Amino acid sequence: MTVLSIIRDCLDALLHPSARYDALTRARHRAFMAPRLLGSLAAFAAFPVYLVLRGAPSAIEVAAFAWLIAPILLSWFLSRTGRYEGAHVLSSLALAGLIMAIAVTTGGIESFAAIWLVVVPLEAALSASRRVAAFASLLALSCVGLLILISQLGWLPGGGLGAAERGVMMALGVTSATLYAAGLAFGAESLARTSVTLLSREEERYRLLARNMSDVISRHQRNGAVQFVSPAAEAMLGMPVAQLLGHGLFDRVHVADRPAYLTALSDAARGDVRSVEFRLRREPAGSERGQGNYQVDFIWVEMRCRPLDQDLGRDPSREAEVVAVMRDVTDRKLSEQALDQARSAAEAADAAKTRFLATMSHELRTPLNAIIGFSEMIAQEQTLMLAAGQRKEYAELINASGQHLLSVVNGILDMSKMESGNFEISAEPFAPRASLLHCCNLLALKARENGVDLITDAPQDLPVMTGDPRAFKQIVLNLVSNAVKFTERGGQVTVSASASASQLTLRVSDTGVGIAPDDLKRIGAPFFQCGKTYERRHEGTGLGLSIVKSLVALHLGELTVQSKLGEGTAVIVKLPLVYAPPQAKPTESKIATLTPPLRQEIQDQPALVKKSA
C-alpha cells in the first residue's frame, strides 16, 4: 500500500456521507481538504525553523501562525455539513484575512505576503461555482486596494524589516505561494481526470445498454432521416445497421403506414411526445431478392418518440432532433387479431343461436298447439257432440303432432350429442370439506321441504386432494339428492367424510325405502330404476347413480352400495387423494362405453347442478 493510498483512505474517512456515493463529488471534497490539511501541518512543522531564524516572535507573528489552524477548521466544517460552496467561501475569507494581517505588519502592498492574494481566486476556481469564483476575485481585488490605500495614507506600523530580512521573506512568500498554487493545480488536474474518467464510464454504460437492449433506440431528424440506430435493429429487421441510416428505415416502413410514421416524428420535433404503431419490412432469414423463395415479411412495431432536447422547440433556428424507442409488438397484434376473430365468431354463433331459437320456437309451438287444442276438443266431446269419425280424426292429428314434436326433440338431442366432446378430468388441488359443505347447503332447502333431516359430518382436518372439483361436486349432489328424494318424511340423511393415508372416503346414508336385493345387483346401470313395489313413485331418468359410478371410475376410485329394503341405503365412495391419470385417457375409454343419452347427461351435468341450486 502506497503513501498516496493511505492518505486517500484517511481523507475518505473524513468525507461527509452525502459525498461518499458520487465519485466526482468525492474527488472535489478530497481536493478541498487535502491541501489545507497538508498546508497547515507543513506550517506547524516550519514554525520551529522560523523561530530559529527570527528569534522571539512578535504578537502579530504568533497570531499569524495561530491563524493556520483555520484550514483544519474548514475541513472539519466540510466534513460535518457537506456544504462545498460554503466551505470555499469561508476558505477565501480565512485566506484573505491571514494575508491582510501579515501584509499590514510587513510592508503593506510591498509585503512578501501580498503575492498570496493571487492564490485566493485560484483556490476558489476549484469550487466549480461562478458565484464563489466571482466572490473570491472581488475579495482579492478589495484586499489589494485596501493595502494600497493603507500604504498611501501612511497607516502602516513602523519598524519595518531590513533589506536582507525582506529579501528572505519575499523569497519565502513567493516559494510558499508557488507551492500552494502547484497543489491547487494538481488538485484541478485530478478533478479534470476524474471527470473525464467518469464521462467515459457513463458513455460506455450507455453504449453497453444500447447494444444489449431488445428495444431499438434511434435518433431522427424532423424529416425522418435516421442519424443513429442501436444494434438491436439488426436482430429485429435482419439487416445491418448501416443500411438503416438516412432514409433506409423509412424505405422499410409499409406504404400505408408512412404518413403516420412521419407525422409522429414531426410532432415530436415540435416538442410533443408521440406513440405510433406501424409495419416494418423484415428480411427473412436465408432469403435474398431475386430468388424464388423470397417473401415479403412485415412485423408490427410500436414507436414512442420525443424531442432529444426540450429547449430546441423554442429556438426555430436550431434543427430539432427526435429520439425514438421501437419495440416489436407483432405477437400482441396477432393476439388482438385472433381476439377480434374469436369475437366475430362468437357474435356469429350468437346470431346463429338466435336464428335457431326463432326457428325452433315455431317448430315446437305448432305441434304443441295442435295437441293441446284437439285434446281439449276431445275432452269436451259431449258438449261439442263430436262424432266417432271426428274423434278419430282428432286423435290422428294429435298423434301426428306428437310424432312431429318427438322428431324435433330427437333432432335437437342428436345435434347436442354430435357437438359435445368427451368428458375429461381436469385435476387440480381443492379442499373436499368446503365442496362437501357447499353441496349440502344447496340441498338443505329441498330436504326441509320433504321433511328430511340432513346431517353433515365433515372433519376440520380433511386434507387437500387433487382431482376434478366439478366432478366431485356432481358426485355429492347426485348422491345426496337421491338420498333426500327416496327418504320419507321424518327420515334422516347423513353425509360423512374421512381420510386415510392415500384416499378419501365419502359415505351418504339414509333411512329411506331401501333397495331390494335383486335390484341392488343392477344398481348404477344406465336408465335403471328400482322395482315398482315402492310405496311412492319418484321422478327421474335413472341416470343419477350411473353418472356417479362413471365419475368415480374416471377418478380411479371405488363405489359401494349397501341397502336393505325398508331400512335405508348407504353409498360409500372411495377416491384417491392424488389423482394420477393412466397412460390411456380414461374419459375416452369410460364414456365411449356409455349409451348416448348417458354421455349427453354427463356433458350437461353442470347445467343440472345450477338448476338444482
Side-chain angles (χ1 to χ4, degrees), residues 347-361:
E347 292 175 353
D350 185 69
K353 182 192 71 174
T354 303
R355 291 193 299 269
F356 169 78
L357 292 177
T359 303
M360 296 311 299
S361 175

Side-chain angles (χ1 to χ4, degrees), residues 232-281:
E234 184 172 351
M236 178 184 290
L237 300 178
M239 62 182 306
V241 172
Q243 298 183 18
L244 300 174
L245 299 178
H247 293 283
L249 181 63
F250 174 78
D251 294 338
R252 309 192 72 79
V253 178
H254 195 279
V255 176
D257 299 332
R258 290 179 181 179
Y261 169 78
L262 293 177
T263 301
L265 291 176
S266 179
D267 292 342
R270 288 195 295 266
D272 298 331
V273 179
R274 288 290 180 264
S275 178
V276 63
E277 293 181 355
F278 56 90
R279 287 161 289 183
L280 276 177
R281 188 175 72 250

Side-chain angles (χ1 to χ4, degrees), residues 112 115-117 119 122 171-184:
F112 71 93
I115 190 66
W116 272 81
L117 291 174
V119 179
L122 293 178
L172 179 62
V174 172
T175 302
S176 59
T178 303
L179 292 176
Y180 194 81
L184 295 177

Side-chain angles (χ1 to χ4, degrees), residues 290-325:
Q291 295 183 355
N293 60 346
Y294 179 80
Q295 295 180 354
V296 179
D297 182 19
F298 283 94
I299 62 173
W300 278 97
V301 173
E302 179 187 26
M303 183 178 72
R304 296 184 179 181
C305 46
R306 63 179 65 243
L308 185 62
D309 189 348
Q310 296 287 349
D311 296 331
L312 288 178
R314 305 174 185 174
D315 187 2
S317 62
R318 300 175 63 186
E319 183 179 0
E321 293 184 351
V322 176
V323 61
V325 178

Side-chain angles (χ1 to χ4, degrees), residues 147-193:
L147 288 177
I148 294 174
L149 180 62
I150 292 175
S151 299
Q152 293 296 327
L153 295 178
W155 291 351
L156 295 175
L161 298 176
E165 292 178 347
R166 183 178 300 173
V168 173
M169 297 305 295
M170 183 61 71
L172 179 62
V174 172
T175 302
S176 59
T178 303
L179 292 176
Y180 194 81
L184 295 177
F186 279 111
E189 185 275 336
S190 176
L191 289 177
R193 186 172 63 251

Side-chain angles (χ1 to χ4, degrees), residues 46-353:
F47 186 67
V49 178
Y50 179 80
L51 292 178
V52 172
L53 296 177
R54 176 64 176 168
S58 62
I60 190 64
E61 291 173 341
V62 173
F65 274 101
W67 196 272
L68 295 176
I69 199 174
I72 298 177
L73 296 177
L74 291 175
S75 299
W76 177 85
F77 171 80
L78 181 61
S79 175
R80 289 294 179 267
T81 64
R83 298 171 58 183
Y84 186 64
E85 292 187 1
H88 266 285
V89 171
L90 294 177
S91 178
S92 298
L93 291 173
L95 182 58
L98 177 62
I99 294 172
M100 287 294 294
I102 297 175
V104 168
T105 58
T106 56
I109 193 63
E110 298 178 357
S111 171
F112 71 93
I115 190 66
W116 272 81
L117 291 174
V118 180
V119 179
V120 175
L122 293 178
E123 181 187 69
L126 294 178
S127 66
S129 172
R130 291 185 178 182
R131 294 181 299 177
V132 176
F135 172 79
S137 300
L138 292 175
L139 180 62
L141 291 175
S142 299
C143 291
V144 170
L146 184 60
L147 288 177
I148 294 174
L149 180 62
I150 292 175
S151 299
Q152 293 296 327
L153 295 178
W155 291 351
L156 295 175
L161 298 176
E165 292 178 347
R166 183 178 300 173
V168 173
M169 297 305 295
M170 183 61 71
L172 179 62
V174 172
T175 302
S176 59
T178 303
L179 292 176
Y180 194 81
L184 295 177
F186 279 111
E189 185 275 336
S190 176
L191 289 177
R193 186 172 63 251
T194 301
S195 299
V196 172
T197 302
L198 292 176
L199 181 60
S200 300
R201 289 179 181 176
E202 290 299 322
E203 290 179 351
E204 184 61 29
R205 287 194 186 101
Y206 284 124
R207 292 192 189 97
L208 182 64
L209 183 63
R211 285 195 299 267
N212 291 277
M213 282 186 62
S214 58
D215 295 346
V216 177
I217 303 175
S218 56
R219 191 174 77 248
H220 304 255
Q221 294 180 350
R222 182 189 293 270
N223 60 358
V226 178
Q227 295 178 309
F228 166 81
V229 63
S230 62
E234 184 172 351
M236 178 184 290
L237 300 178
M239 62 182 306
V241 172
Q243 298 183 18
L244 300 174
L245 299 178
H247 293 283
L249 181 63
F250 174 78
D251 294 338
R252 309 192 72 79
V253 178
H254 195 279
V255 176
D257 299 332
R258 290 179 181 179
Y261 169 78
L262 293 177
T263 301
L265 291 176
S266 179
D267 292 342
R270 288 195 295 266
D272 298 331
V273 179
R274 288 290 180 264
S275 178
V276 63
E277 293 181 355
F278 56 90
R279 287 161 289 183
L280 276 177
R281 188 175 72 250
R282 174 186 173 86
E283 293 292 336
S287 299
E288 297 181 359
R289 291 184 180 275
Q291 295 183 355
N293 60 346
Y294 179 80
Q295 295 180 354
V296 179
D297 182 19
F298 283 94
I299 62 173
W300 278 97
V301 173
E302 179 187 26
M303 183 178 72
R304 296 184 179 181
C305 46
R306 63 179 65 243
L308 185 62
D309 189 348
Q310 296 287 349
D311 296 331
L312 288 178
R314 305 174 185 174
D315 187 2
S317 62
R318 300 175 63 186
E319 183 179 0
E321 293 184 351
V322 176
V323 61
V325 178
M326 290 180 288
R327 176 176 299 176
D328 187 353
V329 293
T330 304
D331 293 340
R332 177 170 63 81
K333 295 295 290 187
L334 293 177
S335 299
E336 291 177 355
Q337 293 174 1
L339 184 61
D340 291 339
Q341 293 176 359
R343 185 182 297 109
S344 300
E347 292 175 353
D350 185 69
K353 182 192 71 174

